[in-house]
Amino acid sequence: MMDKKSLLSALPKIDESLADISSSTQSIPARLVKLAVRHCVDAERQRILNNDTSCVPLTSDQWHKRFLEAVAAKNQMNLRRVINGTGVVIHTNLGRSLLSPPMVEALQRAGAHYTNLELNLSTGKRGSRYSLVEEIICDLTGAEAALVVNNNAAAVLLTIDSLALGKQVIVSRGQLVEIGGSFRIPDVIAKSGAHLIEVGATNRTHLADYEKVITDDTAMLLKVHTSNFKIIGFTSEVSAEELATLAHAHGLLAMEDLGSGCLVDLSSFGLPQEPTVQQIVKSGVDVVTFSGDKLLGGPQAGLIVGRKSAIERIKRNPLNRALRIDKFTLASLEAVLRNYYDLDQALNTVPTLRMLTQPIEGIKKRAKKLMCRIQRSLPPGCAISLRTTMSRVGGGALPEHGLPSWAVAFQLQQGTISALEHGLRKLLLPVIGRVEDEVFLLDMRTVSNDEVPELADSLITFWQQGTLS
Ligand SMILES: *Cc1c(COP(=O)(O)O)cnc(C)c1O
């Protein structure tokens, strides 16, 4: 091993390096190129200073390649399109719900043009941005009033802060959940300035448990959808209706955080029966909160619906202003909501619902189509086959429920499956799949028909680069 000093002095000079790659980087901002090059050299210097024993002087060709890769990586959009072959429809890490073309058009229109975002076109006076969707949400859910904020976490925080500040909120011990991204019901209640009173046992909570702890300091009975976990066996929980009746008998409010919040009953498509938002509103709870980008299939948003008196208090909370949604969310939210006036239309056009309810034959056909396209380009030692698999709803909805699906399965004679998984993730159009028992699966439920040719091309390019061998 060379000594530190010689290694350090062998590092390339920034100006010379820039000159060396200048012919290939002309169309890229000089500042970006310089930063990328400097970062490469700095990183190597740091490795040497950290006594990394694998450090050897690189040839100028090696540096040249390294610089160009670094520049290309830095010049690429960080937020990129990927192919979702995981079969998880509402995949939080991959952006949850997709928007349909009309929803995207609405969003583009709102971005490229001036809009009546806060102008009442009849009176010419300042309008409220929420009024653009409030009536539609009320039509669809049966609620008296509605409000939309940034996401459902914000909706829960704002609602409790508005209705129970400094007072007690009673929640069942079985519903003190943590949702991904460190959203924990006890923490949110604490942040919103209310005091959590836990009742019941983890697996069973009865109406009397709530009733026993109600005092003059109680403001609200809160029910939380357990979303991403399920308690099975000897269990019981109090229904929204019972909770609302009890709350009202004591002059208190009842709230349900529905999490996913579905507007259509999906049980006829083989999914478990879940209460719809309309049913929960009808049960008499004062406020219901749910996400815009889970089963609703729209943009990231938190919908708050319920009784007018309660919603008015929430609207007046100064915190509401800090959590307000932007015009892009409003535009695409209105577009997705309009689909729900006709349930068949919603099922056919909202991508999340379409992916969840598509007939399995269509998925199989797509898997076969992909196989046909790549079969002849497979590298030696790689075998593909058609497999049944289980897709997931995702987004914390119906966690235990698998949807029968079809996948293209990849098996390797040599090399590890994790190298394949990693390699596909690093493509220009990254392909994200699932590894199960040393088999790489691409679940075709979450890959659209239009994506099959691109996906096939990506896979073929990958093999032609010979990255695996
Ligand atoms: C997902 C979820 C949330 C958080 O919603 P976001 O829209 O992701 O902020 C809150 N409560 C429940 C029960 C959930 O399932």
Side-chain angles (χ1 to χ4, degrees), residues 336-364:
V336 68
L337 287 169
R338 286 190 177 278
N339 289 303
Y340 282 93
Y341 279 111
D342 178 340
L343 287 188
D344 283 333
Q345 183 182 328
L347 290 168
N348 288 322
T349 52
V350 178
T352 297
L353 295 182
R354 206 174 49 210
M355 278 189 264
L356 288 173
T357 60
Q358 66 191 311
I360 188 157
E361 302 80 48
I363 305 177
K364 187 176 187 182

Side-chain angles (χ1 to χ4, degrees), residues 96 150-154 156 177 179-180 183 185 224-228 257-260 289-294 300-302 395-397:
R96 288 199 183 158
N150 240 315
N151 51 32
N152 188 35
V156 175
V177 299
I179 317 292
F183 172 90
I185 290 294
V224 182
H225 195 289
T226 52
S227 289
N228 53 6
D257 172 19
L258 251 189
S260 212
T289 58
F290 56 102
S291 282
D293 56 354
K294 291 184 181 172
Q300 177 189 304

Side-chain angles (χ1 to χ4, degrees), residues 46-250:
Q46 207 51 56
R47 287 180 59 211
I48 298 169
L49 292 173
N50 291 346
N51 301 314
D52 187 330
T53 50
S54 65
C55 285
V56 289
L58 301 181
T59 65
S60 54
D61 279 354
Q62 284 171 320
W63 275 114
H64 186 89
K65 184 161 173 275
R66 225 184 239 203
F67 290 146
L68 288 184
E69 281 170 1
V71 170
K74 198 175 173 67
N75 196 35
Q76 207 178 43
M77 281 293 286
N78 291 327
L79 182 63
R80 283 152 68 196
R81 178 185 160 197
V82 306
I83 300 275
N84 177 7
T86 64
V88 181
V89 177
I90 307 169
H91 197 306
T92 296
N93 299 1
L94 303 183
R96 288 199 183 158
S97 284
L98 305 185
L99 305 183
S100 67
M103 295 184 226
V104 174
E105 270 167 42
L107 198 146
Q108 276 173 335
R109 213 164 32 238
H113 303 280
Y114 289 113
T115 57
N116 61 332
L117 183 65
E118 288 193 351
L119 175 71
N120 182 326
L121 291 173
S122 328
T123 63
K125 299 238 166 65
R126 181 172 182 162
S128 149
R129 62 179 65 208
Y130 304 110
S131 65
L132 299 168
V133 288
E134 182 167 13
E135 186 177 309
I136 304 177
I137 297 172
C138 292
D139 286 349
L140 299 174
T141 62
E144 291 172 8
L147 176 68
V148 188
V149 290
N150 240 315
N151 51 32
N152 188 35
V156 175
L157 176 78
L158 177 66
T159 303
I160 299 174
D161 184 274
S162 310
L163 306 178
L165 185 70
K167 301 271 241 168
Q168 293 173 347
V169 174
I170 306 175
V171 189
S172 157
R173 287 203 166 85
Q175 297 171 358
L176 294 172
V177 299
E178 172 179 319
I179 317 292
S182 70
F183 172 90
R184 285 179 161 181
I185 290 294
D187 298 348
V188 174
I189 292 176
K191 262 287 169 219
S192 50
H195 307 294
L196 167 66
I197 305 293
E198 303 175 23
V199 292
T202 306
N203 56 331
R204 287 169 74 87
T205 302
H206 310 284
L207 195 62
D209 294 325
Y210 290 90
E211 189 155 25
K212 266 190 295 208
V213 297
I214 292 176
T215 67
D216 289 345
D217 271 339
T218 310
M220 182 194 278
L221 310 185
L222 169 63
K223 184 171 157 98
V224 182
H225 195 289
T226 52
S227 289
N228 53 6
F229 83 107
K230 203 172 175 68
I231 298 178
I232 52 169
F234 187 54
T235 67
S236 81
E237 60 172 28
V238 174
S239 72
E241 198 159 8
E242 290 172 298
L243 210 61
T245 308
L246 177 65
H248 298 154
H250 289 81

Side-chain angles (χ1 to χ4, degrees), residues 371-386:
M371 285 182 62
C372 281
R373 281 183 174 259
I374 59 176
Q375 194 94 55
R376 282 190 305 161
S377 313
L378 287 178
C382 177
I384 56 171
S385 56
L386 198 62

